[in-house]
Amino acid sequence: PRARHQGLQQIDEALAQVNGQLRRPGLPLIDWLYWSGRRRELRTARWLVQQLLPVEVLVIPEPGPESSRDRQDFTRSRWREACLRCLRRHPR
């Protein structure tokens, strides 16, 4: 989660700089083409980071010394609950 946040922050800072360049009055066409391409690359990078890096990491604790069957049921239900919580918080 920290790498995701830092990566997005760096991309956003670079995008702000690029947008500043694109707002310059009298920008030559070749410069406009360069900065527009750079903005497109940064937007693509931002999308990739959002898709590939996790928002949060789920850690499922080891269950206690119950029987093997109880342990499997416990783990499945905890996993299911964690997945549902995550999906509710981050709908696509």
Side-chain angles (χ1 to χ4, degrees):
R2 185 174 182 177
R4 174 191 168 98
H5 177 73
Q6 289 175 342
L8 290 173
Q9 188 174 14
Q10 288 175 352
I11 292 169
D12 288 340
E13 289 169 5
L15 272 169
Q17 291 174 350
V18 166
N19 287 328
Q21 292 293 328
L22 286 167
R23 281 193 292 273
R24 284 188 6 218
L27 187 67
L29 178 61
I30 190 75
D31 290 344
W32 183 86
L33 290 170
Y34 170 80
W35 290 113
S36 294
R38 181 77 176 126
R39 181 173 57 188
R40 186 173 50 251
E41 291 171 353
L42 289 166
R43 286 178 173 172
T44 301
R46 189 174 210 297
W47 183 85
L48 284 170
V49 168
Q50 289 176 320
Q51 299 302 310
L52 299 177
L53 292 180
V55 174
E56 62 184 56
V57 177
L58 299 175
V59 177
I60 300 175
E62 283 289 319
E66 299 93 7
S67 72
S68 176
R69 178 77 177 143
D70 290 343
R71 191 172 29 235
Q72 287 175 351
D73 290 342
F74 173 80
T75 302
R76 278 192 204 112
S77 68
R78 292 288 302 241
W79 177 253
R80 193 175 302 118
E81 289 170 19
C83 289
L84 289 173
R85 272 196 313 271
C86 186
L87 287 172
R88 278 189 224 110
R89 275 186 273 179
H90 308 287
R92 294 210 173 220

Coordinates of all heavy atoms in Angstrom, one line a residue:
P1 N 0.8 -1.2 0.0 CA 0.0 0.0 0.0 C 0.9 1.3 0.0 O 0.5 2.2 -0.6 CB -0.8 -0.1 1.3 CG -0.9 -1.6 1.6 CD 0.4 -2.1 1.1
R2 N 2.0 1.2 0.7 CA 2.8 2.4 0.7 C 3.5 2.7 -0.6 O 3.5 3.9 -1.1 CB 3.9 2.2 1.8 CG 4.7 3.5 2.0 CD 5.7 3.3 3.1 NE 6.4 4.5 3.3 CZ 7.3 4.7 4.2 NH1 7.5 3.8 5.1 NH2 7.9 5.9 4.3
A3 N 3.9 1.7 -1.3 CA 4.5 1.8 -2.6 C 3.5 2.4 -3.6 O 3.8 3.2 -4.5 CB 5.0 0.5 -3.2
R4 N 2.2 1.9 -3.5 CA 1.2 2.4 -4.4 C 1.0 3.9 -4.1 O 0.9 4.7 -5.1 CB -0.1 1.7 -4.1 CG -1.3 2.2 -4.8 CD -2.6 1.5 -4.2 NE -3.8 2.2 -4.7 CZ -4.5 1.8 -5.7 NH1 -4.2 0.7 -6.4 NH2 -5.6 2.5 -6.0
H5 N 0.9 4.3 -2.9 CA 0.6 5.7 -2.5 C 1.8 6.6 -3.0 O 1.6 7.6 -3.6 CB 0.4 5.9 -1.0 CG 0.3 7.3 -0.6 ND1 -0.9 8.0 -0.8 CD2 1.1 8.1 0.0 CE1 -0.8 9.2 -0.4 NE2 0.4 9.3 0.2
Q6 N 3.0 6.2 -2.8 CA 4.2 6.9 -3.2 C 4.3 7.0 -4.7 O 4.6 8.1 -5.3 CB 5.4 6.4 -2.6 CG 5.6 6.6 -1.1 CD 6.8 5.9 -0.5 OE1 7.3 4.9 -1.1 NE2 7.2 6.3 0.6
G7 N 4.0 5.9 -5.4 CA 4.0 5.9 -6.8 C 3.0 6.9 -7.4 O 3.3 7.6 -8.4
L8 N 1.8 6.8 -6.9 CA 0.7 7.7 -7.4 C 1.1 9.2 -7.1 O 0.8 10.0 -7.9 CB -0.6 7.3 -6.8 CG -1.2 6.0 -7.3 CD1 -2.5 5.6 -6.5 CD2 -1.5 6.0 -8.7
Q9 N 1.7 9.4 -6.0 CA 2.0 10.8 -5.6 C 3.1 11.3 -6.6 O 3.0 12.4 -7.1 CB 2.6 10.8 -4.2 CG 2.8 12.2 -3.7 CD 3.2 12.2 -2.2 OE1 3.5 11.1 -1.6 NE2 3.1 13.3 -1.6
Q10 N 4.1 10.5 -6.9 CA 5.1 10.9 -7.9 C 4.5 11.2 -9.3 O 4.9 12.2 -9.9 CB 6.2 9.9 -8.0 CG 7.1 9.8 -6.8 CD 8.1 8.7 -6.8 OE1 8.1 7.9 -7.8 NE2 9.0 8.7 -5.9
I11 N 3.6 10.3 -9.7 CA 3.0 10.5 -11.0 C 2.1 11.7 -11.0 O 2.2 12.5 -12.0 CB 2.1 9.2 -11.3 CG1 3.1 8.0 -11.6 CG2 1.2 9.5 -12.5 CD1 2.3 6.7 -11.7
D12 N 1.4 12.0 -9.9 CA 0.6 13.2 -9.9 C 1.4 14.5 -9.9 O 1.0 15.5 -10.6 CB -0.3 13.2 -8.6 CG -1.4 12.2 -8.7 OD1 -1.8 11.8 -9.8 OD2 -2.0 11.8 -7.6
E13 N 2.6 14.5 -9.2 CA 3.5 15.6 -9.3 C 4.0 15.8 -10.7 O 4.0 17.0 -11.2 CB 4.6 15.4 -8.3 CG 4.2 15.5 -6.8 CD 5.3 15.1 -5.9 OE1 6.4 14.7 -6.3 OE2 5.0 15.0 -4.6
A14 N 4.4 14.8 -11.3 CA 4.9 14.9 -12.7 C 3.8 15.4 -13.7 O 4.0 16.2 -14.5 CB 5.5 13.5 -13.2
L15 N 2.6 14.9 -13.5 CA 1.4 15.3 -14.3 C 1.2 16.8 -14.1 O 0.9 17.5 -15.1 CB 0.2 14.5 -13.9 CG -0.1 13.2 -14.7 CD1 -1.2 12.4 -14.1 CD2 -0.3 13.5 -16.1
A16 N 1.3 17.3 -12.9 CA 1.1 18.7 -12.6 C 2.1 19.5 -13.4 O 1.8 20.6 -14.0 CB 1.2 19.0 -11.1
Q17 N 3.4 19.1 -13.4 CA 4.4 19.8 -14.1 C 4.2 19.8 -15.6 O 4.3 20.8 -16.3 CB 5.8 19.2 -13.8 CG 6.3 19.4 -12.4 CD 7.6 18.7 -12.1 OE1 8.0 17.9 -12.9 NE2 8.1 19.0 -10.9
V18 N 3.8 18.6 -16.1 CA 3.5 18.5 -17.6 C 2.3 19.4 -17.9 O 2.4 20.1 -19.0 CB 3.2 17.0 -17.9 CG1 2.6 16.9 -19.3 CG2 4.5 16.2 -17.8
N19 N 1.3 19.4 -17.1 CA 0.1 20.3 -17.4 C 0.5 21.7 -17.4 O 0.0 22.5 -18.2 CB -1.0 20.0 -16.5 CG -1.7 18.7 -16.7 OD1 -1.8 18.2 -17.9 ND2 -2.2 18.0 -15.7
G20 N 1.4 22.1 -16.5 CA 1.9 23.5 -16.5 C 2.6 23.8 -17.8 O 2.5 24.9 -18.3
Q21 N 3.4 22.9 -18.3 CA 4.1 23.1 -19.6 C 3.1 23.3 -20.7 O 3.2 24.1 -21.6 CB 5.0 21.9 -19.9 CG 6.2 21.8 -19.0 CD 7.2 23.0 -19.2 OE1 7.3 23.6 -20.3 NE2 7.8 23.4 -18.1
L22 N 2.0 22.4 -20.7 CA 1.0 22.5 -21.8 C 0.2 23.8 -21.7 O -0.4 24.2 -22.7 CB 0.1 21.3 -21.7 CG 0.7 20.0 -22.2 CD1 -0.1 18.8 -21.8 CD2 0.9 20.0 -23.7
R23 N 0.1 24.5 -20.6 CA -0.6 25.7 -20.5 C 0.2 26.9 -20.9 O -0.3 28.0 -20.9 CB -1.1 25.9 -19.0 CG -2.3 25.0 -18.7 CD -3.0 25.5 -17.4 NE -2.2 25.1 -16.2 CZ -2.2 24.0 -15.6 NH1 -3.0 23.0 -16.0 NH2 -1.4 23.8 -14.6
R24 N 1.5 26.7 -21.1 CA 2.3 27.9 -21.5 C 1.8 28.5 -22.8 O 1.5 27.8 -23.8 CB 3.8 27.5 -21.8 CG 4.5 27.2 -20.5 CD 6.0 27.0 -20.7 NE 6.5 27.1 -22.1 CZ 7.4 26.3 -22.6 NH1 7.9 25.4 -22.0 NH2 7.8 26.6 -23.9
P25 N 1.6 29.8 -22.8 CA 1.1 30.5 -24.1 C 2.2 30.4 -25.2 O 3.4 30.5 -24.9 CB 0.8 31.9 -23.6 CG 1.5 32.1 -22.3 CD 1.8 30.7 -21.7
G26 N 1.8 30.2 -26.4 CA 2.7 30.2 -27.5 C 3.6 29.0 -27.6 O 4.6 29.1 -28.2
L27 N 3.1 27.9 -27.0 CA 3.9 26.7 -27.0 C 4.1 26.2 -28.4 O 3.1 26.0 -29.1 CB 3.2 25.6 -26.1 CG 4.0 24.3 -25.8 CD1 5.2 24.6 -25.0 CD2 3.0 23.4 -25.1
P28 N 5.3 26.0 -28.9 CA 5.5 25.5 -30.3 C 4.8 24.1 -30.4 O 4.8 23.3 -29.5 CB 7.0 25.4 -30.4 CG 7.5 26.3 -29.4 CD 6.6 26.3 -28.3
L29 N 4.4 23.8 -31.6 CA 3.7 22.5 -31.9 C 4.6 21.3 -31.5 O 4.1 20.4 -30.9 CB 3.4 22.4 -33.4 CG 2.7 21.1 -33.8 CD1 1.4 20.9 -33.0 CD2 2.5 21.0 -35.3
I30 N 5.9 21.3 -31.7 CA 6.7 20.2 -31.4 C 6.8 20.0 -29.9 O 6.7 18.8 -29.4 CB 8.2 20.3 -32.0 CG1 9.0 19.0 -31.9 CG2 8.9 21.5 -31.4 CD1 8.5 18.0 -32.8
D31 N 6.8 21.1 -29.1 CA 6.8 21.0 -27.7 C 5.4 20.5 -27.2 O 5.3 19.6 -26.3 CB 7.1 22.3 -27.0 CG 8.5 22.8 -27.2 OD1 9.3 21.9 -27.6 OD2 8.8 23.9 -27.0
W32 N 4.3 21.0 -27.8 CA 3.0 20.5 -27.5 C 2.9 19.0 -27.7 O 2.3 18.2 -26.8 CB 1.9 21.2 -28.2 CG 0.5 20.8 -27.8 CD1 -0.2 21.3 -26.8 CD2 -0.2 19.8 -28.4 NE1 -1.4 20.7 -26.8 CE2 -1.4 19.7 -27.7 CE3 0.0 18.9 -29.5 CZ2 -2.4 18.8 -28.0 CZ3 -1.0 18.0 -29.8 CH2 -2.2 17.9 -29.1
L33 N 3.4 18.5 -28.8 CA 3.4 17.1 -29.1 C 4.2 16.3 -28.1 O 3.7 15.2 -27.6 CB 3.9 16.8 -30.5 CG 3.1 17.3 -31.7 CD1 3.8 17.1 -33.0 CD2 1.8 16.5 -31.7
Y34 N 5.4 16.8 -27.7 CA 6.2 16.1 -26.7 C 5.4 16.0 -25.3 O 5.3 14.9 -24.8 CB 7.5 16.8 -26.5 CG 8.3 16.3 -25.3 CD1 9.0 15.1 -25.4 CD2 8.2 17.0 -24.1 CE1 9.7 14.6 -24.3 CE2 8.9 16.5 -23.0 CZ 9.7 15.3 -23.1 OH 10.3 14.8 -22.0
W35 N 5.0 17.2 -24.9 CA 4.3 17.2 -23.5 C 3.0 16.4 -23.5 O 2.6 15.8 -22.5 CB 4.1 18.7 -23.1 CG 5.4 19.3 -22.7 CD1 6.0 20.4 -23.4 CD2 6.3 18.9 -21.7 NE1 7.2 20.7 -22.8 CE2 7.4 19.8 -21.8 CE3 6.3 18.0 -20.7 CZ2 8.5 19.7 -20.9 CZ3 7.4 17.9 -19.8 CH2 8.5 18.8 -19.9
S36 N 2.3 16.4 -24.6 CA 1.0 15.6 -24.7 C 1.3 14.2 -24.6 O 0.6 13.4 -24.0 CB 0.3 15.9 -26.0 OG -0.2 17.3 -26.0
G37 N 2.4 13.7 -25.3 CA 2.8 12.3 -25.2 C 3.3 11.9 -23.8 O 2.9 10.9 -23.3
R38 N 4.0 12.9 -23.2 CA 4.4 12.6 -21.8 C 3.2 12.5 -20.9 O 3.2 11.6 -20.0 CB 5.3 13.8 -21.3 CG 5.9 13.6 -20.0 CD 7.0 12.6 -19.9 NE 7.5 12.6 -18.6 CZ 7.6 11.5 -17.8 NH1 7.3 10.3 -18.4 NH2 8.1 11.5 -16.6
R39 N 2.2 13.4 -21.0 CA 1.0 13.3 -20.2 C 0.3 11.9 -20.4 O -0.2 11.3 -19.5 CB 0.1 14.4 -20.5 CG -1.2 14.4 -19.7 CD -2.0 15.6 -19.9 NE -2.4 15.8 -21.3 CZ -3.0 16.9 -21.8 NH1 -3.3 17.9 -21.0 NH2 -3.3 17.0 -23.0
R40 N 0.2 11.5 -21.7 CA -0.4 10.2 -22.0 C 0.3 9.1 -21.3 O -0.3 8.2 -20.7 CB -0.5 10.0 -23.5 CG -1.2 8.8 -23.9 CD -1.4 8.7 -25.4 NE -0.2 8.9 -26.2 CZ 0.1 9.9 -26.9 NH1 -0.7 10.9 -27.0 NH2 1.3 10.0 -27.5
E41 N 1.7 9.1 -21.3 CA 2.5 8.1 -20.6 C 2.2 8.1 -19.1 O 2.1 7.0 -18.5 CB 4.0 8.3 -20.9 CG 4.4 8.1 -22.3 CD 5.8 8.5 -22.6 OE1 6.4 9.2 -21.7 OE2 6.3 8.2 -23.7
L42 N 2.2 9.3 -18.5 CA 1.9 9.3 -17.1 C 0.5 8.9 -16.7 O 0.4 8.2 -15.7 CB 2.2 10.8 -16.6 CG 3.6 11.2 -16.6 CD1 3.7 12.7 -16.4 CD2 4.4 10.5 -15.5
R43 N -0.4 9.2 -17.5 CA -1.8 8.7 -17.2 C -1.9 7.2 -17.3 O -2.5 6.5 -16.5 CB -2.8 9.4 -18.2 CG -3.1 10.8 -17.9 CD -4.0 11.4 -18.9 NE -4.5 12.7 -18.6 CZ -5.2 13.5 -19.4 NH1 -5.5 13.1 -20.6 NH2 -5.5 14.7 -19.0
T44 N -1.2 6.6 -18.3 CA -1.1 5.2 -18.4 C -0.4 4.6 -17.3 O -0.9 3.5 -16.7 CB -0.4 4.8 -19.8 OG1 -1.1 5.4 -20.9 CG2 -0.4 3.3 -19.9
A45 N 0.7 5.2 -16.8 CA 1.4 4.6 -15.7 C 0.5 4.7 -14.4 O 0.5 3.8 -13.6 CB 2.7 5.4 -15.4
R46 N -0.2 5.8 -14.3 CA -1.1 5.9 -13.1 C -2.2 4.8 -13.1 O -2.5 4.2 -12.1 CB -1.8 7.3 -13.1 CG -2.6 7.6 -11.9 CD -3.1 9.0 -11.9 NE -3.2 9.6 -10.6 CZ -4.0 9.2 -9.7 NH1 -4.7 8.1 -9.9 NH2 -4.0 9.8 -8.5
W47 N -2.8 4.5 -14.3 CA -3.8 3.5 -14.4 C -3.2 2.1 -14.1 O -3.8 1.4 -13.4 CB -4.3 3.5 -15.9 CG -5.4 2.5 -16.1 CD1 -6.7 2.6 -15.8 CD2 -5.3 1.1 -16.5 NE1 -7.4 1.5 -16.1 CE2 -6.5 0.5 -16.5 CE3 -4.2 0.4 -17.0 CZ2 -6.7 -0.8 -16.9 CZ3 -4.4 -0.9 -17.4 CH2 -5.6 -1.5 -17.4
L48 N -2.0 1.9 -14.6 CA -1.3 0.6 -14.3 C -1.1 0.4 -12.8 O -1.3 -0.7 -12.2 CB 0.0 0.5 -15.0 CG -0.1 0.1 -16.5 CD1 1.2 0.3 -17.2 CD2 -0.7 -1.3 -16.7
V49 N -0.6 1.4 -12.1 CA -0.3 1.4 -10.7 C -1.6 1.1 -10.0 O -1.7 0.3 -9.1 CB 0.3 2.7 -10.2 CG1 0.3 2.7 -8.6 CG2 1.7 2.8 -10.7
Q50 N -2.7 1.8 -10.3 CA -4.0 1.5 -9.7 C -4.5 0.1 -9.9 O -5.2 -0.4 -9.0 CB -5.0 2.5 -10.2 CG -4.8 3.9 -9.7 CD -5.8 4.9 -10.3 OE1 -6.1 4.9 -11.5 NE2 -6.2 5.9 -9.5
Q51 N -4.2 -0.5 -11.1 CA -4.7 -1.8 -11.4 C -3.8 -2.9 -10.7 O -4.3 -3.9 -10.3 CB -4.7 -2.0 -12.9 CG -5.6 -1.1 -13.6 CD -7.1 -1.2 -13.1 OE1 -7.6 -2.2 -13.0 NE2 -7.7 0.0 -12.9
L52 N -2.5 -2.7 -10.6 CA -1.6 -3.8 -10.3 C -1.2 -3.7 -8.8 O -0.8 -4.8 -8.3 CB -0.4 -3.7 -11.2 CG -0.7 -3.9 -12.7 CD1 0.6 -3.8 -13.5 CD2 -1.3 -5.3 -12.9
L53 N -1.1 -2.6 -8.2 CA -0.6 -2.6 -6.8 C -1.8 -2.6 -5.9 O -2.8 -1.9 -6.1 CB 0.2 -1.3 -6.6 CG 1.6 -1.3 -7.3 CD1 2.3 0.0 -6.9 CD2 2.4 -2.5 -6.9
P54 N -1.7 -3.4 -4.8 CA -2.9 -3.5 -3.9 C -3.2 -2.3 -3.1 O -2.3 -1.5 -2.8 CB -2.5 -4.7 -3.0 CG -1.0 -4.6 -3.0 CD -0.6 -4.1 -4.4
V55 N -4.5 -2.1 -2.9 CA -4.9 -1.0 -2.0 C -4.6 -1.4 -0.6 O -4.2 -0.5 0.2 CB -6.4 -0.8 -2.2 CG1 -6.9 0.3 -1.2 CG2 -6.7 -0.4 -3.6
E56 N -4.8 -2.6 -0.2 CA -4.5 -3.1 1.1 C -4.1 -4.5 1.0 O -4.4 -5.2 0.1 CB -5.7 -2.9 2.1 CG -6.9 -3.7 1.7 CD -8.1 -3.4 2.6 OE1 -8.4 -2.2 2.7 OE2 -8.6 -4.3 3.2
V57 N -3.4 -5.0 2.0 CA -3.0 -6.4 2.1 C -3.7 -7.1 3.2 O -3.8 -6.6 4.3 CB -1.4 -6.5 2.3 CG1 -1.0 -7.9 2.5 CG2 -0.7 -5.8 1.2
L58 N -4.4 -8.2 2.8 CA -5.1 -8.9 3.8 C -4.2 -10.0 4.5 O -3.6 -10.8 3.7 CB -6.3 -9.6 3.2 CG -7.4 -8.7 2.6 CD1 -8.4 -9.6 1.9 CD2 -8.0 -7.8 3.6
V59 N -4.1 -10.0 5.8 CA -3.4 -11.0 6.5 C -4.4 -11.8 7.3 O -5.0 -11.3 8.2 CB -2.3 -10.4 7.4 CG1 -1.6 -11.4 8.2 CG2 -1.3 -9.5 6.6
I60 N -4.4 -13.1 7.0 CA -5.4 -14.0 7.7 C -4.6 -14.7 8.8 O -3.7 -15.5 8.4 CB -6.1 -14.9 6.7 CG1 -6.8 -14.1 5.7 CG2 -7.0 -15.9 7.5 CD1 -7.5 -14.9 4.6
P61 N -5.0 -14.5 10.0 CA -4.2 -15.2 11.1 C -4.4 -16.7 11.1 O -5.4 -17.2 10.6 CB -4.8 -14.5 12.4 CG -6.2 -14.1 12.0 CD -6.1 -13.8 10.5
E62 N -3.4 -17.3 11.6 CA -3.5 -18.8 11.8 C -4.6 -19.1 12.9 O -4.6 -18.4 13.9 CB -2.2 -19.3 12.3 CG -1.1 -19.5 11.2 CD -1.4 -20.6 10.2 OE1 -1.9 -21.7 10.7 OE2 -1.3 -20.3 9.0
P63 N -5.4 -20.0 12.6 CA -6.5 -20.3 13.6 C -5.8 -21.1 14.8 O -4.7 -21.6 14.7 CB -7.4 -21.2 12.8 CG -6.7 -21.7 11.7 CD -5.6 -20.7 11.4
G64 N -6.6 -21.2 15.8 CA -6.1 -21.9 17.0 C -6.0 -23.4 16.8 O -6.2 -23.9 15.7
P65 N -5.8 -24.1 17.9 CA -5.6 -25.6 17.8 C -6.9 -26.4 17.6 O -7.0 -27.5 18.2 CB -4.9 -25.9 19.1 CG -5.4 -24.9 20.0 CD -5.6 -23.6 19.2
E66 N -7.9 -25.9 16.9 CA -9.1 -26.7 16.7 C -8.8 -27.9 15.7 O -7.7 -28.0 15.2 CB -10.2 -25.8 16.0 CG -10.6 -24.6 16.9 CD -9.8 -23.4 16.5 OE1 -9.1 -23.4 15.5 OE2 -10.0 -22.4 17.2
S67 N -9.8 -28.7 15.5 CA -9.6 -29.8 14.6 C -9.3 -29.3 13.2 O -9.6 -28.1 12.9 CB -10.8 -30.7 14.6 OG -11.9 -30.0 14.0
S68 N -8.8 -30.1 12.4 CA -8.5 -29.7 11.0 C -9.7 -29.3 10.2 O -9.7 -28.3 9.5 CB -7.9 -30.9 10.3 OG -7.6 -30.6 8.9
R69 N -10.8 -29.9 10.4 CA -12.1 -29.6 9.7 C -12.6 -28.2 10.2 O -12.9 -27.3 9.4 CB -13.2 -30.6 10.0 CG -14.5 -30.3 9.4 CD -14.5 -30.6 7.9 NE -15.8 -30.4 7.4 CZ -16.0 -29.9 6.2 NH1 -15.0 -29.6 5.4 NH2 -17.2 -29.7 5.7
D70 N -12.5 -28.0 11.5 CA -12.9 -26.7 12.1 C -12.0 -25.6 11.5 O -12.5 -24.5 11.2 CB -12.9 -26.7 13.6 CG -14.0 -27.5 14.2 OD1 -14.9 -27.8 13.5 OD2 -13.8 -27.9 15.4
R71 N -10.7 -25.9 11.4 CA -9.8 -24.9 11.0 C -10.1 -24.5 9.5 O -10.0 -23.4 9.2 CB -8.4 -25.5 11.1 CG -7.3 -24.5 10.9 CD -5.9 -25.0 11.3 NE -5.7 -26.4 11.1 CZ -5.3 -27.2 12.1 NH1 -5.0 -26.8 13.2 NH2 -5.2 -28.5 11.8
Q72 N -10.4 -25.5 8.7 CA -10.7 -25.2 7.3 C -11.9 -24.3 7.2 O -12.0 -23.4 6.4 CB -10.9 -26.5 6.5 CG -9.6 -27.3 6.2 CD -9.9 -28.6 5.6 OE1 -11.0 -29.0 5.5 NE2 -8.8 -29.2 5.1
D73 N -13.0 -24.7 7.9 CA -14.2 -23.9 7.9 C -13.9 -22.5 8.4 O -14.4 -21.5 7.8 CB -15.3 -24.5 8.8 CG -15.8 -25.8 8.2 OD1 -15.6 -26.1 6.9 OD2 -16.4 -26.6 8.9
F74 N -13.2 -22.4 9.5 CA -12.8 -21.1 10.0 C -12.1 -20.2 9.0 O -12.4 -19.1 8.7 CB -12.0 -21.2 11.3 CG -11.5 -19.9 11.8 CD1 -12.3 -19.1 12.6 CD2 -10.2 -19.5 11.6 CE1 -11.8 -17.9 13.1 CE2 -9.7 -18.4 12.1 CZ -10.5 -17.6 12.9
T75 N -11.1 -20.8 8.3 CA -10.3 -20.1 7.4 C -11.1 -19.7 6.2 O -11.0 -18.5 5.7 CB -9.1 -20.9 6.9 OG1 -8.3 -21.3 8.1 CG2 -8.2 -20.2 5.9
R76 N -12.0 -20.5 5.7 CA -12.8 -20.2 4.5 C -13.8 -19.1 4.9 O -13.9 -18.1 4.1 CB -13.6 -21.4 4.1 CG -12.9 -22.4 3.2 CD -13.8 -23.4 2.6 NE -13.0 -24.5 2.2 CZ -13.1 -25.7 2.8 NH1 -14.0 -26.0 3.7 NH2 -12.4 -26.7 2.4
S77 N -14.4 -19.1 6.0 CA -15.3 -18.1 6.4 C -14.6 -16.7 6.6 O -15.1 -15.7 6.2 CB -16.1 -18.4 7.6 OG -15.3 -18.5 8.8
R78 N -13.4 -16.7 7.2 CA -12.7 -15.5 7.4 C -12.2 -14.9 6.1 O -12.3 -13.7 5.8 CB -11.4 -15.8 8.3 CG -11.7 -16.1 9.7 CD -12.2 -14.9 10.5 NE -11.2 -13.8 10.4 CZ -10.5 -13.3 11.4 NH1 -10.8 -13.6 12.6 NH2 -9.7 -12.3 11.2
W79 N -11.8 -15.8 5.2 CA -11.4 -15.4 3.8 C -12.5 -14.7 3.1 O -12.4 -13.7 2.5 CB -10.8 -16.6 3.1 CG -10.4 -16.2 1.7 CD1 -11.0 -16.6 0.6 CD2 -9.2 -15.4 1.3 NE1 -10.3 -16.1 -0.5 CE2 -9.2 -15.4 -0.1 CE3 -8.2 -14.8 2.0 CZ2 -8.3 -14.7 -0.8 CZ3 -7.3 -14.1 1.2 CH2 -7.3 -14.1 -0.1
R80 N -13.7 -15.4 3.2 CA -14.9 -14.9 2.5 C -15.3 -13.6 3.0 O -15.5 -12.6 2.3 CB -16.0 -15.9 2.6 CG -17.2 -15.7 1.8 CD -18.3 -16.8 1.9 NE -17.7 -18.1 1.6 CZ -17.7 -19.1 2.4 NH1 -18.2 -19.0 3.6 NH2 -17.2 -20.3 2.1
E81 N -15.3 -13.4 4.4 CA -15.6 -12.1 5.0 C -14.6 -11.0 4.6 O -15.1 -9.9 4.2 CB -15.6 -12.3 6.5 CG -16.7 -13.1 7.1 CD -16.5 -13.4 8.6 OE1 -15.6 -12.7 9.2 OE2 -17.1 -14.3 9.1
A82 N -13.4 -11.3 4.5 CA -12.3 -10.4 4.2 C -12.5 -9.9 2.7 O -12.4 -8.7 2.4 CB -10.9 -10.9 4.4
C83 N -12.8 -10.9 1.8 CA -13.0 -10.5 0.4 C -14.2 -9.7 0.2 O -14.2 -8.7 -0.5 CB -13.1 -11.8 -0.4 SG -11.6 -12.7 -0.6
L84 N -15.3 -10.0 0.9 CA -16.5 -9.2 0.8 C -16.3 -7.8 1.3 O -16.8 -6.8 0.7 CB -17.7 -9.9 1.5 CG -18.2 -11.2 0.9 CD1 -19.2 -11.9 1.8 CD2 -18.8 -10.9 -0.5
R85 N -15.6 -7.7 2.5 CA -15.3 -6.3 3.0 C -14.5 -5.5 2.0 O -14.8 -4.3 1.7 CB -14.5 -6.4 4.3 CG -15.4 -6.6 5.5 CD -14.6 -6.3 6.8 NE -13.3 -7.0 6.9 CZ -13.1 -8.2 7.4 NH1 -14.1 -8.9 7.8 NH2 -11.9 -8.7 7.4
C86 N -13.5 -6.1 1.4 CA -12.7 -5.4 0.4 C -13.5 -5.0 -0.8 O -13.4 -3.9 -1.3 CB -11.5 -6.3 0.0 SG -10.3 -5.5 -1.0
L87 N -14.4 -5.9 -1.3 CA -15.2 -5.6 -2.5 C -16.2 -4.5 -2.2 O -16.4 -3.6 -3.0 CB -15.9 -6.8 -2.9 CG -15.1 -7.9 -3.6 CD1 -15.9 -9.2 -3.8 CD2 -14.5 -7.4 -4.9
R88 N -16.7 -4.4 -0.9 CA -17.6 -3.3 -0.6 C -16.9 -2.0 -0.5 O -17.4 -1.0 -0.9 CB -18.3 -3.6 0.8 CG -19.4 -4.6 0.7 CD -20.2 -4.7 2.0 NE -20.5 -6.1 2.2 CZ -19.9 -6.8 3.2 NH1 -19.1 -6.3 4.0 NH2 -20.2 -8.1 3.3
R89 N -15.7 -2.0 -0.1 CA -14.9 -0.8 0.1 C -14.4 -0.3 -1.3 O -14.2 0.9 -1.5 CB -13.7 -0.9 1.0 CG -14.1 -0.7 2.4 CD -12.9 -0.8 3.3 NE -12.7 -2.2 3.6 CZ -11.8 -2.7 4.4 NH1 -10.9 -1.9 4.9 NH2 -11.7 -4.0 4.6
H90 N -14.1 -1.2 -2.2 CA -13.4 -0.8 -3.5 C -14.2 -1.5 -4.6 O -13.7 -2.3 -5.3 CB -12.0 -1.3 -3.5 CG -11.2 -0.9 -2.3 ND1 -10.8 0.4 -2.1 CD2 -10.8 -1.5 -1.2 CE1 -10.2 0.5 -0.9 NE2 -10.2 -0.6 -0.4
P91 N -15.4 -1.0 -4.9 CA -16.1 -1.5 -6.0 C -15.5 -1.1 -7.3 O -14.9 -0.1 -7.4 CB -17.5 -0.9 -5.9 CG -17.3 0.3 -5.1 CD -16.1 0.0 -4.2
R92 N -15.6 -1.9 -8.3 CA -15.0 -1.6 -9.6 C -16.0 -1.0 -10.5 O -17.1 -1.1 -10.5 CB -14.4 -2.9 -10.3 CG -13.3 -3.4 -9.4 CD -12.3 -4.1 -10.3 NE -11.2 -4.4 -9.4 CZ -10.0 -4.3 -9.8 NH1 -9.7 -3.9 -11.0 NH2 -9.0 -4.5 -9.0

